[in-house]
């Protein structure tokens, strides 16, 4: 019989395809139904000499055979599944693996970060809001054990810090959002624990059963952790709470129908669809929208609540609406949980949402703690006041004291004495140098000198535009530059407290030939800064001095430093990592003795003291390093930021190994005798701590922050260290000064306490041992430095 080309092609295709596919299985090779003995073999060419109907038969036989094989295989799998199910019928098959957020990991490896957006109520919204929320869920499963029942436990501090650090590596997010993210992590942890309980520890009826650890989560849940988790779920109290919550949530009166969208993203979607300029929606409007199904139908009960809210919102006064019970809560007439706003979702709390935040009465314990703090403050003020009065009375009783010698005009030496001329308006500063001419019958330009003034010749002008305290009307001389080489009248007596000028005179007759610096004690020397009125600051000039300070002060008075001599001191190379010399003059000693604002020389000398006394020869040398303040400050950064950055890099390179945690202390000055702050850098963890004894953060010194960041990154690049994350700056809530001169002392005390406690990680709320500094804390440092200066024979 003639065979068409089409029939032959069909037969050949079915035969070859069936044979190749079917050989993959462990069954006998495919064989066509048996034929009569006279018929050719089915695998021979002659076998294809049949009709078109024979080709269809071949295909049908193949498909039937294939179906029977698959059916047998599925039956075997069902038998195996039933056998394993009898051993553990709780764990259900979950085909999806663990979520690892690969898109975030890839972006992080490329150095990219995702922007995070927030609603008007400070809630996460799109774009990237849901991504961050999911990523937080992934992180909390990685770093927090499922056995944790108390989210506020101190044991979770390290895990929470890791979660926040990982978030900052992948998202542009401000430090102020840390609390929100950590709270969201706690919510995600509770949800994960509930999922494990419902999925693996309960049967279809909700009863607890025995279950093995789910293998899907074996990487993040150890066997021991799972056993502890299961044991807690077997507790009777837990069963009671679980049953109560399940019954309460089983039949909600107004079921939520928006899944994982959340109120914040739902509000964002509604405002976008309506193209509204509003930033938020009323609670009851959002509450209703969250209970609308996919078909758009609104349940009658939900609509009734909404209508009542609309009516009530129009009748209540605005002052009463801004209460801790919203219109929605009033209509539903249900108790509210503290710390949440109904109809707004996670992250919105009454204190931030309502104009009138909810307050609660303090507990007895809080009241007693507050009273104890107030008593301590009162006692400290009483002691300070007693010391002030005692010293003041003592100083007034001694005619040989410095005040007495200043106030006594006749004690100025006869003849000509070199002097320095100062003005105190608008800032206290030196404006020139000259000589005091004290002779009998002295006249100024043929006229008697006014009371309290002295005749002074101006030899050198340092401030050419400074006004003379006593202008010459005859010659019309009013500026300092016009008085060079001539005589002027200058106030000298310290009993003119409102006087805007004074003289620093080198008087060689007061202490038997020794030189003493005389100045007006009512005017505080604060170079480059405006003076504050007396009485608002804590007493400094008249504070009680220790024996060691008075000993050093006597040594200074008897030395040539009072004759404008200076001391050049060579520091140990270990202090700053390089050779360093410091110039110490009488002005530096004066800052120490009179508790004035500190300059670089005193700051550096105390750093040398800490290195020599506390650190040398101990492991502290591996944990703490100092950076010279004279090499990095605002003035130098403004002039040449590249040079300052390289100075920092050289300091980092001088240490060698920076892979272990350590801190680099940088006492940073705002320039021109300004404010001192402390910057502590941890290169291994890319952390920078900022400690400021005045309110504010590093935003006041953005050029400094930029230079420090660039130096750290350049150093890590030269060391071939991988930058795993961005540099994190932390503003430490450190003790605060209550006057205008203590910033330098506070910076030194910060470093001293950190080294003494041997703490690389500085708590954001500072150390519990030092929540505040009293004057005694600062005097202790001054005594340490005085003893060190004596021991080193600097004077």
């Amino acid at each position: 019989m003639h065979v068409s080309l089409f029939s032959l092609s069909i037969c050949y295709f079915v035969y070859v395809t069936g044979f190749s596919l079917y050989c993959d299985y462990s069954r006998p090779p495919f064989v066509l139904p048996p034929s009569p003995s006279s018929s050719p073999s089915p695998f021979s060419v002659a076998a294809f000499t049949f009709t078109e109907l024979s080709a269809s038969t071949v295909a049908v036989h193949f498909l039937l055979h294939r179906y029977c094989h698959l059916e047998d295989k599925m039956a075997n799998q069902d038998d195996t599944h039933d056998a394993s199910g009898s051993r553990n019928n709780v764990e259900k098959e979950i085909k999806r693996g663990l979520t690892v957020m690969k898109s975030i990991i890839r972006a992080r490896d490329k150095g990219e970060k995702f922007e995070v957006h927030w609603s008007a109520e400070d809630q996460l919204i799109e774009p990237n809001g849901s991504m961050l929320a999911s990523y937080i869920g992934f992180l909390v499963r990685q770093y927090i054990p499922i056995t944790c029942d108390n989210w506020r436990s101190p044991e979770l501090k390290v895990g929470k810090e890791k979660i926040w650090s990982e978030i900052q590596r992948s998202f542009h997010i401000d430090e102020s959002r840390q609390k929100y993210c950590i709270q969201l992590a706690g919510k995600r942890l509770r949800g994960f624990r509930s999922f494990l309980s419902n999925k693996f520890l309960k049967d279809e009826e909700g009863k607890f059963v025995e279950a093995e650890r789910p293998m899907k989560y074996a990487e993040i849940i150890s066997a021991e952790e799972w056993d502890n988790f299961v044991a807690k779920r077997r507790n009777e109290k837990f069963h009671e709470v679980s049953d109560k919550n399940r019954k309460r949530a089983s039949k909600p009166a107004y079921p939520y129908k928006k899944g994982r969208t959340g109120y914040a993203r739902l509000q964002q979607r509604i405002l976008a669809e309506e193209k509204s300029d509003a930033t938020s929606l009323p609670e009851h409007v959002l509450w209703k929208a969250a209970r609308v199904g996919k078909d758009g139908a609104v349940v009658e009960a939900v609509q009734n609540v909404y209508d009542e809210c609309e009516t009530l919102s129009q009748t209540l006064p605005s002052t009463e609406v801004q209460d801790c019970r919203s219109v929605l809560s009033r209509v539903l007439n249900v108790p509210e949980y503290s710390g949440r706003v109904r109809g707004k979702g996670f992250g919105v709390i009454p204190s931030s949402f309502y104009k009138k935040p909810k307050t609660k009465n303090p507990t007895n314990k809080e009241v007693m703690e507050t009273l104890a703090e107030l008593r301590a403050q009162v006692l400290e003020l009483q002691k300070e006041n007693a010391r002030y009065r005692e010293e003041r009375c003592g100083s007034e009783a001694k005619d040989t004291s410095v005040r007495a010698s200043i106030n006594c005009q006749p004690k100025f030496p006869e003849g000509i004495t070199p002097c320095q001329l100062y003005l105190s308006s608008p800032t206290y500063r030196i404006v020139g140098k000259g000589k005091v001419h004290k002779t009998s019958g002295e006249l100024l330009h043929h006229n008697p000198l006014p009371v309290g003034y002295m005749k002074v010749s101006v030899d050198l002008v340092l401030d050419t535009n400074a006004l003379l305290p006593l202008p010459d009307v005859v010659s019309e001389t009013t500026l300092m530059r016009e008085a060079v080489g001539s005589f002027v009248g200058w106030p000298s007596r310290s009993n003119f407290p409102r006087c805007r000028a004074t003289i620093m005179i080198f008087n060689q007759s007061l202490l038997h030939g020794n030189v003493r610096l005389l100045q007006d004690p009512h005017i505080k020397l604060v170079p480059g800064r405006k003076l504050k009125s007396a009485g608002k600051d804590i007493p400094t000039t008249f504070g009680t001095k220790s024996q060691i300070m008075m000993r050093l002060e006597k040594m200074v008075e008897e030395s040539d430093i009072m004759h404008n001599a200076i001391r050049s001191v060579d520091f140990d190379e270990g202090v700053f990592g390089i050779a360093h010399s410091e110039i110490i003059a009488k002005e530096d000693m004066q800052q120490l003795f009179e508790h004035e604002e500190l300059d670089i020389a005193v700051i550096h000398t105390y750093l040398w003291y800490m290195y020599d006394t506390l650190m040398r020869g101990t492991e502290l040398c591996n944990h703490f390093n100092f950076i010279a303040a004279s090499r990095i400050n605002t003035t130098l950064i403004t002039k040449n930021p590249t040079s300052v950055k390289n100075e920092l890099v050289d300091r980092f390179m001088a240490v060698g190994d920076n892979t272990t945690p350590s801190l680099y202390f940088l006492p940073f000055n705002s320039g021109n005798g300004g404010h001192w702050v402390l910057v502590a850098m941890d290169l291994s963890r890319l952390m920078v701590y900022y400690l400021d004894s005045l309110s504010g953060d590093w935003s006041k010194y953005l050029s400094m922050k930029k230079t420090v960041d660039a130096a750290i990154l350049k150093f890590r690049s030269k060391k071939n260290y991988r930058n795993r994350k961005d540099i994190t700056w932390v503003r430490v809530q450190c003790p605060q000064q209550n006057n205008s001169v203590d910033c330098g002392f506070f910076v030194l005390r910060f470093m001293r306490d950190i080294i003494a406690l041997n703490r690389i990680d500085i708590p954001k709320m500072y150390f519990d041992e030092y929540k505040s500094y009293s004057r005694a804390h600062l005097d202790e440092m001054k005594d340490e430095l005085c003893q060190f200066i004596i021991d080193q024979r600097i004077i």
Side-chain angles (χ1 to χ4, degrees):
M1 182 179 295
H2 178 71
V3 181
S4 65
L5 181 61
F6 175 78
S7 299
L8 183 61
S9 302
I10 291 296
C11 294
Y12 181 76
F13 172 77
V14 171
Y15 171 76
V16 174
T17 305
F19 183 78
S20 61
L21 291 175
Y22 206 67
C23 286
D24 293 339
Y25 297 90
S26 59
R27 295 182 63 86
F30 173 68
V31 181
L32 288 174
S35 58
S37 59
S38 59
S39 302
S41 171
F43 295 98
S44 64
V45 178
F48 293 98
T49 58
F50 43 75
T51 63
E52 296 177 4
L53 185 60
S54 301
S56 301
T57 304
V58 172
V60 171
H61 274 283
F62 168 75
L63 295 175
L64 288 174
H65 204 79
R66 168 95 175 181
Y67 174 77
C68 293
H69 170 63
L70 293 176
E71 189 176 28
D72 293 342
K73 184 177 180 181
M74 292 176 64
N76 293 335
Q77 290 179 346
D78 290 339
D79 293 341
T80 304
H81 180 72
D82 293 340
S84 62
S86 61
R87 293 189 302 269
N88 184 6
N89 59 355
V90 178
E91 181 175 350
K92 302 175 178 63
E93 181 182 1
I94 302 176
K95 296 182 179 180
R96 179 180 174 183
L98 283 175
T99 301
V100 295
M101 308 293 289
K102 293 182 179 179
S103 59
I104 295 180
I105 304 302
R106 294 192 190 102
R108 187 181 66 193
D109 293 341
K110 295 178 182 178
E112 299 175 357
K113 285 189 176 184
F114 295 97
E115 294 291 340
V116 181
H117 299 267
W118 304 84
S119 68
E121 289 88 6
D122 293 328
Q123 295 172 290
L124 272 176
I125 57 175
E126 302 299 342
N128 302 325
S130 57
M131 178 189 294
L132 175 56
S134 298
Y135 188 53
I136 291 175
F138 162 71
L139 293 175
V140 78
R141 292 193 294 271
Q142 297 290 325
Y143 296 118
I144 305 296
I146 59 174
T147 54
C148 164
D149 294 326
N150 182 10
W151 185 245
R152 297 182 177 88
S153 173
E155 298 177 357
L156 301 182
K157 179 181 178 181
V158 176
K160 292 178 181 179
E161 290 178 350
K162 289 181 179 178
I163 291 174
W164 178 240
S165 176
E166 291 297 324
I167 292 173
Q168 290 184 309
R169 290 179 62 187
S170 301
F171 293 87
H172 288 291
I173 187 166
D174 189 73
E175 287 284 342
S176 61
R177 307 293 185 181
Q178 182 178 3
K179 181 179 179 181
Y180 179 95
C181 293
I182 296 302
Q183 288 178 343
L184 181 56
K187 181 182 178 182
R188 289 288 184 264
L189 177 64
R190 294 190 296 272
F192 182 54
R193 291 204 308 263
S194 299
F195 165 77
L196 293 176
S197 297
N198 296 330
K199 192 73 175 178
F200 303 107
L201 298 181
K202 293 181 181 180
D203 57 16
E204 296 178 355
E205 297 180 358
K207 297 181 179 180
F208 284 88
V209 295
E210 297 292 335
E212 296 180 357
R213 179 178 54 151
M215 298 310 298
K216 174 182 176 179
Y217 302 103
E219 295 181 2
I220 59 176
I221 303 176
S222 64
E224 181 182 359
E225 186 180 350
W226 176 256
D227 292 339
N228 293 334
F229 177 73
V230 173
K232 291 183 178 181
R233 262 51 187 174
R234 292 174 181 169
N235 186 279
E236 290 298 330
K237 291 184 179 180
F238 178 84
H239 287 185
E240 294 176 3
V241 175
S242 178
D243 293 339
K244 181 180 178 180
N245 291 337
R246 185 174 67 255
K247 291 178 182 178
R248 184 184 61 182
S250 59
K251 295 180 180 180
Y254 314 101
Y256 178 85
K257 297 184 178 181
K258 293 303 177 182
R260 298 181 62 187
T261 302
Y263 282 101
R265 294 197 290 274
L266 176 61
Q267 176 177 261
Q268 183 186 21
R269 182 193 305 168
I270 294 174
L271 293 175
E273 291 174 353
E274 295 179 354
K275 297 181 180 180
S276 173
D277 295 332
T279 58
S280 63
L281 296 172
E283 301 98 301
H284 64 280
V285 175
L286 199 56
W287 179 86
K288 173 189 173 183
R291 282 148 184 83
V292 178
K294 294 182 180 180
D295 56 356
V298 181
V299 180
E300 183 179 358
V302 173
Q303 185 63 43
N304 292 338
V305 172
Y306 173 79
D307 293 340
E308 291 185 32
C309 290
E310 283 288 303
T311 304
L312 184 61
S313 63
Q314 296 175 8
T315 58
L316 283 178
S318 58
T319 55
E320 190 173 350
V321 172
Q322 299 297 342
D323 197 347
C324 293
R325 289 197 68 200
S326 64
V327 172
L328 179 60
S329 298
R330 294 166 186 260
V331 172
L332 293 175
N333 195 24
V334 291
E336 287 295 354
Y337 298 101
S338 61
R340 83 164 189 181
V341 178
R342 185 179 293 272
K344 280 298 180 179
F346 175 80
V348 180
I349 57 178
S351 60
S352 62
F353 184 74
Y354 298 112
K355 294 181 180 178
K356 181 181 178 181
K358 183 177 181 180
T359 58
K360 63 178 182 179
N361 295 328
T363 62
N364 291 337
K365 181 180 179 181
E366 292 173 342
V367 171
M368 296 305 296
E369 290 177 351
T370 303
L371 289 175
E373 292 177 358
L374 291 175
R375 289 194 189 99
Q377 294 177 10
V378 170
L379 290 175
E380 186 66 27
L381 290 174
Q382 290 175 345
K383 292 179 182 178
E384 193 71 36
N385 188 40
R387 287 201 302 266
Y388 172 77
R389 291 178 178 276
E390 181 181 354
E391 181 62 25
R392 185 173 183 179
C393 293
S395 62
E396 290 176 352
K398 297 179 181 179
D399 294 333
T400 58
S401 65
V402 177
R403 278 187 80 196
S405 64
I406 295 175
N407 289 331
C408 296
Q409 176 75 12
K411 289 189 177 181
F412 284 122
E414 294 290 335
I416 300 175
T417 307
C419 67
Q420 295 177 339
L421 306 175
Y422 282 80
L423 291 176
S424 62
S425 177
T427 59
Y428 194 80
R429 67 202 187 280
I430 183 173
V431 295
K433 296 182 179 181
K435 299 181 182 66
V436 175
H437 297 256
K438 183 170 175 45
T439 58
S440 58
E442 55 197 31
L443 299 175
L444 179 62
H445 304 305
H446 308 290
N447 295 315
L449 277 170
V451 178
Y453 281 79
M454 301 193 69
K455 184 177 181 180
V456 175
S457 62
V458 180
D459 300 331
L460 176 66
V461 175
L462 301 177
D463 188 348
T464 57
N465 295 321
L467 294 174
L468 291 172
L470 185 63
D472 187 353
V473 180
V474 177
S475 62
E476 297 182 353
T477 303
T478 59
L479 299 176
M480 282 290 296
R481 65 170 179 265
E482 299 169 348
V484 177
S486 64
F487 293 98
V488 296
W490 209 275
S492 61
R493 296 187 52 147
S494 61
N495 54 2
F496 286 87
R498 296 181 182 178
C499 184
R500 295 188 175 184
T502 188
I503 307 175
M504 285 188 174
I505 306 175
F506 299 104
N507 190 333
Q508 299 182 1
S509 65
L510 295 179
L511 292 175
H512 309 289
N514 294 320
V515 179
R516 175 179 285 276
L517 177 64
L518 302 180
Q519 68 175 18
D520 186 348
H522 291 275
I523 302 178
K524 190 180 299 180
L525 178 59
V526 187
R529 300 180 65 179
K530 291 186 178 180
L531 296 175
K532 294 187 176 181
S533 59
K536 293 184 179 180
D537 298 343
I538 61 174
T540 56
T541 305
F542 304 106
T544 303
K545 296 180 181 178
S546 65
Q547 293 294 329
I548 190 64
M549 180 176 290
M550 289 189 292
R551 177 185 173 190
L552 178 61
E553 189 173 12
K554 182 175 178 61
M555 293 173 61
V556 171
E557 292 170 353
E558 296 175 351
S559 69
D560 58 352
I561 287 184
M562 300 305 295
H563 296 275
N564 285 337
I566 60 174
R567 298 289 188 269
S568 179
V569 183
D570 295 328
F571 284 21
D572 291 344
E573 188 171 333
V575 180
F576 298 120
I578 55 175
H580 181 85
S581 297
E582 196 65 56
I583 302 298
I584 297 179
K586 62 178 180 293
E587 291 82 7
D588 303 311
M589 295 293 98
Q590 186 75 11
Q591 296 165 12
L592 191 60
F593 299 149
E594 302 301 330
H595 198 92
E596 297 172 348
E597 192 169 19
L598 299 183
D599 205 349
I600 286 181
V602 180
I603 296 286
H604 282 179
T605 306
Y606 193 80
L607 297 186
W608 180 21
Y609 157 76
M610 287 192 291
Y611 172 80
D612 187 79
T613 307
L614 304 178
M615 299 168 53
R616 186 194 296 273
T618 69
E619 64 172 4
L620 295 177
C621 288
N622 300 325
H623 295 170
F624 304 101
N625 305 280
F626 299 114
I627 299 174
S630 57
R631 298 176 181 271
I632 302 166
N633 54 52
T634 299
T635 304
L636 295 178
I637 292 175
T638 303
K639 292 180 179 179
N640 194 342
T642 302
S643 176
V644 174
K645 179 184 69 176
N646 293 334
E647 287 273 4
L648 269 175
V649 174
D650 292 342
R651 179 65 181 105
F652 298 153
M653 296 294 292
V655 174
D657 179 26
N658 283 281
T659 57
T660 57
S662 62
L663 286 181
Y664 286 82
F665 290 123
L666 169 60
F668 182 80
N669 191 272
S670 60
N672 297 324
H675 182 57
W676 286 100
V677 299
L678 178 62
V679 179
M681 295 163 275
D682 185 347
L683 304 186
S684 64
R685 298 186 299 172
L686 292 179
M687 298 282 290
V688 179
Y689 300 98
Y690 179 87
L691 293 88
D692 190 346
S693 57
L694 294 177
S695 59
D697 57 17
W698 55 83
S699 60
K700 296 185 294 186
Y701 312 111
L702 290 178
S703 60
M704 177 270 291
K705 180 181 183 299
K706 183 178 179 181
T707 303
V708 170
D709 288 347
I712 294 176
L713 294 178
K714 182 177 180 180
F715 162 74
R716 293 183 65 86
S717 176
K718 294 182 70 172
K719 284 286 190 177
N720 294 322
Y721 296 155
R722 181 183 177 186
N723 293 323
R724 303 181 305 275
K725 61 178 182 178
D726 289 343
I727 300 171
T728 302
W729 283 66
V730 178
R731 183 182 183 274
V732 179
Q733 303 293 331
C734 54
Q736 300 290 287
Q737 66 187 81
N738 61 355
N739 58 23
S740 60
V741 300
D742 277 350
C743 57
F745 292 100
F746 271 60
V747 165
L748 294 178
R749 186 75 199 197
F750 292 152
M751 290 185 282
R752 182 187 184 278
D753 292 341
I754 295 170
I755 294 173
L757 294 173
N758 195 10
R759 291 286 298 273
I760 305 299
D761 56 323
I762 305 175
K764 190 172 182 179
M765 302 305 295
Y766 205 59
F767 304 108
D768 293 335
E769 295 87 344
Y770 302 104
K771 289 299 184 183
S772 62
Y773 289 149
S774 65
R775 178 63 182 272
H777 288 98
L778 309 185
D779 289 342
E780 180 183 5
M781 291 192 307
K782 293 194 293 185
D783 290 345
E784 292 170 347
L785 185 54
C786 289
Q787 184 65 59
F788 182 72
I789 292 174
I790 294 173
D791 294 341
Q792 296 294 326
R793 300 182 179 179
I794 295 176
I795 302 303

